[in-house]
């Protein structure tokens, strides 16, 4: 029942997306039909004197009614639409009484077509029954012609309705596709911005935290009146961290451009710089950019934490290629808190940020004491790659 009382889609009623040539052709056909009706009425000589005024009034009434009908159906206002169709039926009846049988038949037939094309089917069939009933009663054509006309015109209107519905559905799909593409582009832009923000945050957090370690150590040495040479060593180390920070910034920019050195090479350089022992297991392969960046950042953060909380402690690193995954394991064998005030330097959010990065990739990051009564701290990263 819903199909019988439902309006056509708004896109079908509005004519949105109709090619310009199709619009020109449609209005051309309507104009030709109107001209033929007028010509036929004038040629028959049925109008004299005030009859021409009546003809003009009828013509203008029909034009206004058709225009208003298209607007009211676009707004899906049922009763005003039916009333405007009633105007067309009334003008047709007046034309029939004036002896203009052809004009009346055209008006009644046109009413059927546009009713079935734009109204809910249940009401359109009611209008068609009234219009075609009037035509059948007034027509002097052969019964076969009358039956053919009564049957054919509703099908013409329904064919136009299906055509408009198909066009409207296509336009809706196109609009949905465009909206999906816009949303996808916006999502990709937001994801890229988030990626850039993470990279900048990670680079700055690691570099500045490492510098803070050495500068804090230099401050403590100065306050205790230690040998100036030791203070100088810390300042030189902080300068080295600043240099490394610049190098990491360049590396982050290279990563954003898709230009990264192999992960193994980076881990070997980092391990050599910290005096750590590195072991690589599994079959080496190229890693996705995000997975490679996660491994790099976690290795940097783990080594920085060793410098902060267990300076001088032996460090072991193991990088393993697994089936569909890679795993980084970093362990130091120092006692936490041995650095005193130095261990408090930095914001303390490094491992939390690394854990969030791993979870965004569908991986995990675990960090905590070695356990089993042993000294040291273990960081374990596992991400899909």
């Amino acid at each position: 029942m819903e199909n019988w009382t439902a309006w056509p889609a708004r896109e079908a009623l509005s004519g949105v997306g109709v090619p310009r040539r199709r619009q020109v052709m449609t209005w051309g056909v309507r104009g030709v039909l109107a001209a033929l009706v007028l010509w036929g009425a004038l040629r028959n000589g049925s109008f004299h004197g005030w009859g021409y005024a009546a003809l003009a009034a009828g013509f203008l009434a029909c034009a206004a009614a058709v225009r208003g009908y298209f607007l009211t159906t676009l707004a899906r206002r049922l009763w005003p639409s039916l009333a405007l169709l009633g105007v067309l039926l009334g003008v047709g009846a007046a034309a029939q009484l004036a002896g203009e049988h052809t004009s009346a038949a055209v008006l009644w037939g046109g009413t059927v077509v546009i009713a079935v094309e734009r109204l809910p089917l249940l009401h359109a069939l009611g209008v068609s029954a009234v219009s075609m009933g009037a035509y059948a009663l007034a027509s002097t054509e052969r019964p076969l012609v009358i039956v053919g006309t009564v049957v054919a015109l509703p099908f013409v209107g329904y064919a136009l309705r299906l055509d408009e519905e198909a066009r409207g559905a296509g336009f809706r799909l196109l609009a949905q596709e465009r909206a999906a593409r816009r949303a996808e582009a916006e999502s990709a832009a937001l994801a890229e911005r988030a990626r850039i923000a993470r990279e900048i945050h990670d680079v700055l957090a690691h570099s500045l935290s490492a510098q803070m370690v050495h500068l804090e150590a230099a401050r403590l040495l100065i306050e205790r009146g230690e040998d100036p040479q030791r203070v100088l060593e810390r300042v030189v180390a902080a300068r080295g961290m600043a240099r490394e920070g610049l190098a990491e910034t360049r590396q982050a920019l290279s990563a954003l451009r898709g230009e990264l050195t192999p992960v193994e090479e980076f881990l070997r350089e980092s391990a050599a710089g910290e005096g750590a022992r590195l072991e690589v297991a599994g079959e080496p392969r190229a890693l996705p950019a995000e997975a490679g960046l996660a491994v790099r950042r976690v290795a940097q953060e783990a080594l920085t934490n060793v410098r902060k909380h267990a300076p001088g402690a032996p460090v072991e690193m193991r990088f393993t290629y697994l089936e569909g995954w890679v795993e980084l394991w970093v362990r130091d064998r120092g006692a936490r808190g041995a650095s005193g005030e130095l261990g408090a330097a930095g914001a303390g959010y490094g491992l939390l940020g690394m854990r969030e990065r791993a979870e965004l990739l569908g991986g995990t990051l675990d960090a905590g004491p070695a356990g089993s009564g042993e000294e040291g701290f273990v960081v374990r990263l596992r991400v899909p790659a």
Side-chain angles (χ1 to χ4, degrees):
M1 186 65 181
E2 183 179 353
N3 292 333
W4 290 91
T5 58
W7 286 84
R10 290 191 181 276
E11 293 82 3
L13 292 173
S14 66
V16 64
V18 177
R20 176 66 62 181
R21 288 177 296 179
R22 172 74 177 272
Q23 295 179 10
V24 171
M25 183 179 69
T26 300
W27 283 106
V29 170
R30 293 171 181 170
V32 169
L33 289 176
L36 289 176
V37 170
L38 284 176
W39 174 252
L42 294 172
R43 189 181 63 176
N44 290 338
S46 302
F47 297 95
H48 305 280
W50 289 103
Y52 290 110
L55 175 63
F59 181 81
L60 292 176
C62 290
V66 171
R67 174 63 177 170
Y69 173 76
F70 276 82
L71 293 177
T72 55
T73 52
L74 179 60
R76 294 183 173 182
R77 299 172 60 192
L78 179 61
W79 294 110
S81 301
L82 292 175
L84 290 169
L85 290 181
V87 171
L88 294 179
L89 293 175
V91 174
Q96 178 67 27
L97 293 176
E100 289 298 324
H101 307 299
T102 302
S103 299
V106 170
L107 285 172
W108 289 333
T111 300
V112 171
V113 171
I114 61 175
V116 177
E117 180 186 5
R118 300 181 65 86
L119 285 179
L121 287 176
L122 185 63
H123 301 87
L125 290 180
V127 172
S128 299
V130 172
S131 182
M132 289 293 92
Y135 165 75
L137 291 175
S139 178
T140 58
E141 299 288 345
R142 291 177 298 174
L144 186 61
V145 174
I146 296 175
V147 172
T149 302
V150 170
V151 172
L153 287 179
F155 277 102
V156 171
Y158 191 66
L160 292 174
R161 181 191 188 99
L162 292 179
D163 180 64
E164 297 297 328
E165 287 279 14
R167 179 188 51 76
F171 186 82
R172 287 197 302 273
L173 290 176
L174 180 60
Q176 292 171 2
E177 182 181 357
R178 288 174 177 170
R181 288 181 178 177
R182 286 195 299 269
E184 184 179 355
E186 292 174 1
S187 177
L190 291 174
E192 184 63 15
R193 290 174 187 171
R195 177 189 174 195
I196 293 172
R198 284 197 305 271
E199 289 308 308
I200 293 175
H201 170 270
D202 292 343
V203 168
L204 292 177
H206 169 72
S207 176
L208 295 177
S209 178
Q211 292 177 57
M212 282 292 297
V213 170
H214 292 288
L215 292 175
E216 182 69 11
R219 184 186 68 83
L220 294 174
L221 292 173
I222 292 173
E223 289 180 353
R224 295 169 185 169
E226 298 288 344
D227 184 5
Q229 183 62 34
R230 295 185 60 191
V231 177
L232 179 60
E233 290 175 357
R234 288 296 183 176
V235 173
V236 170
R239 185 184 65 178
M241 291 296 102
R243 186 182 297 110
E244 290 179 9
L246 288 174
E248 290 172 9
T249 301
R250 295 190 186 98
Q251 188 179 55
L253 293 174
S254 297
L256 293 174
R257 299 188 189 103
E259 305 166 357
L260 277 175
T261 57
V263 173
E264 290 181 40
E265 180 180 340
F266 174 84
L267 293 177
R268 288 193 177 93
E269 292 176 356
S270 299
E274 298 295 332
R277 184 169 64 89
L278 173 66
E279 176 186 350
V280 178
E283 185 67 27
R285 63 178 182 272
L287 303 182
E290 287 290 346
L293 286 170
V295 171
R296 287 171 169 80
R297 297 293 176 251
V298 170
Q300 289 175 334
E301 185 64 30
L303 293 175
T304 298
N305 285 341
V306 172
R307 287 196 302 268
K308 288 170 56 176
H309 301 288
V315 180
E316 300 174 8
M317 301 175 65
R318 183 170 64 246
F319 182 62
T320 307
Y321 293 95
L322 303 171
E323 185 68 28
W325 298 80
V326 290
E327 182 180 277
L328 175 67
W329 181 86
V330 182
R331 175 180 178 175
D332 67 80
R333 297 186 180 276
R336 298 279 127 168
S339 57
E341 292 182 49
L342 185 60
Y349 295 109
L351 288 177
L352 177 61
M354 295 302 102
R355 182 174 291 109
E356 291 175 353
R357 176 189 284 271
E359 290 174 353
L360 284 173
L361 297 177
T364 59
L365 185 140
D366 301 315
S372 301
E374 299 181 5
E375 292 184 339
F377 199 80
V378 177
V379 177
R380 178 177 174 271
L381 169 72
R382 186 183 176 96
V383 292

